[in-house]
């Protein structure tokens, strides 16, 4: 774990570095792995002087984060027009159990990416990349997206720019020695068997999630 995304300008230096526990700063490799693994992040901005945040499905596509939503969403039109945003993701990897409540902690990975969203040049491609991250192989199993559906959808890209992101992580057990039990309870996300609403057999892409 080595860096926080390049050398920021003076105006953004306070937002591009860790002031507390700088040893937890993580590099671009961890950032990319976290963005590839995590399926939901939180998009935040300011609308009419008030804070605005919404959890969103997303996918990393090279050096950018892909998002999509309805063209009827006023806040999305606001950020698509150039309002500055942050996009945050968090993965809980374990509960760290110490011998005092003060020393309890968690193992985690997190990231904050700042910047300005851009309207994706190819909305169809953006939707396919996003869909195949959530359910790999599903794009090839469904009918093509219609023009009407594309017209109702806004696809956005948030560039991942050096100096405009921070990634951090905690690993390991509780600090110090103790005669009492201490340790880590690992946390992971799993898929249960699909619940059928129509049809007979789930498609290959869905079955692959739980195999």
């Amino acid at each position: 774990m080595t860096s926080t995304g390049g050398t920021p300008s003076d105006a953004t230096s306070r937002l591009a570095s860790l002031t507390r526990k700088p040893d937890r700063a993580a590099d671009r490799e961890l950032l990319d792995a976290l963005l590839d693994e995590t399926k939901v992040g939180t998009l935040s901005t300011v609308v009419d002087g008030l804070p605005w945040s919404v959890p969103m499905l997303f996918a990393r596509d090279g050096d950018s984060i892909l998002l999509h939503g309805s063209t009827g969403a006023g806040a999305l039109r606001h950020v698509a027009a150039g309002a500055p945003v942050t996009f945050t993701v968090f993965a809980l990897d374990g509960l760290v159990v110490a011998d005092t409540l003060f020393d309890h902690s968690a193992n985690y990975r997190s990231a904050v990416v700042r910047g300005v969203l851009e309207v994706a040049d190819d909305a169809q491609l953006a939707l396919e990349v996003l869909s195949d991250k959530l359910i790999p192989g599903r794009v090839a199993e469904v009918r093509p997206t219609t023009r009407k559906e594309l017209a109702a959808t806004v696809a956005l890209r948030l560039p991942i720019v050096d100096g405009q992101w921070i990634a951090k992580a905690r690993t390991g057990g509780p600090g110090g020695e103790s005669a009492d039990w201490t340790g880590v309870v690992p946390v992971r996300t799993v898929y249960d068997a699909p619940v059928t609403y129509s049809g007979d057999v789930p498609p290959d892409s869905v079955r692959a999630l739980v195999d």
Side-chain angles (χ1 to χ4, degrees):
M1 299 186 294
T2 56
S3 81
T4 56
T7 303
S9 66
D10 291 341
T12 60
S13 60
R14 289 184 294 109
L15 299 176
S17 60
L18 295 176
T19 57
R20 186 172 182 272
K21 296 186 183 295
D23 57 302
R24 295 185 182 178
D27 58 17
R28 177 60 191 267
E29 182 179 1
L30 185 144
L31 173 69
D32 287 352
L34 176 62
L35 294 175
D36 290 345
E37 174 186 334
T38 311
K39 293 179 170 54
V40 178
T42 301
L43 179 67
S44 301
T45 189
V46 175
V47 179
D48 296 330
L50 297 174
W52 175 90
S53 296
V54 62
M56 300 186 71
L57 297 168
F58 76 96
R60 182 179 71 91
D61 184 27
D63 290 328
S64 63
I65 294 170
L66 290 175
L67 305 167
H68 88 290
S70 170
T71 54
L76 283 185
R77 291 199 302 270
H78 176 71
V79 295
V85 303
T86 62
F87 191 76
T88 60
V89 294
F90 182 88
L92 179 64
D93 296 321
L95 298 177
V96 179
V97 184
D99 57 351
T100 68
L101 293 181
F102 181 81
D103 291 320
H104 279 61
S105 187
N107 287 338
Y108 65 89
R109 289 160 293 146
S110 68
V112 179
V113 181
R114 296 178 293 108
V116 175
L117 290 162
E118 306 168 351
V119 177
D121 293 333
D122 189 334
Q124 176 73 48
L125 178 61
L127 289 175
E128 290 179 354
V129 170
L130 178 59
S131 298
D132 258 346
K133 176 196 175 177
L134 300 174
I135 308 177
R138 185 60 177 153
V139 170
E141 297 172 338
V142 299
R143 63 162 176 77
T145 305
T146 67
R147 290 184 179 180
K148 181 178 179 180
E149 291 167 340
L150 283 177
T153 302
V154 57
L156 303 169
R157 286 185 179 271
L158 177 60
I160 302 171
V161 179
D162 283 352
Q164 295 187 10
W165 59 266
I166 291 177
K168 58 186 294 190
R170 186 199 189 279
T171 60
E177 298 181 358
S178 174
D180 297 327
W181 188 93
T182 64
V184 175
V185 181
V187 176
R188 62 193 178 100
T189 299
V190 298
Y191 292 100
D192 287 333
V195 178
T196 297
Y197 277 72
S198 65
D200 298 319
V201 179
D204 291 343
S205 63
V206 173
R207 292 201 301 272
L209 290 175
V210 298
D211 284 348

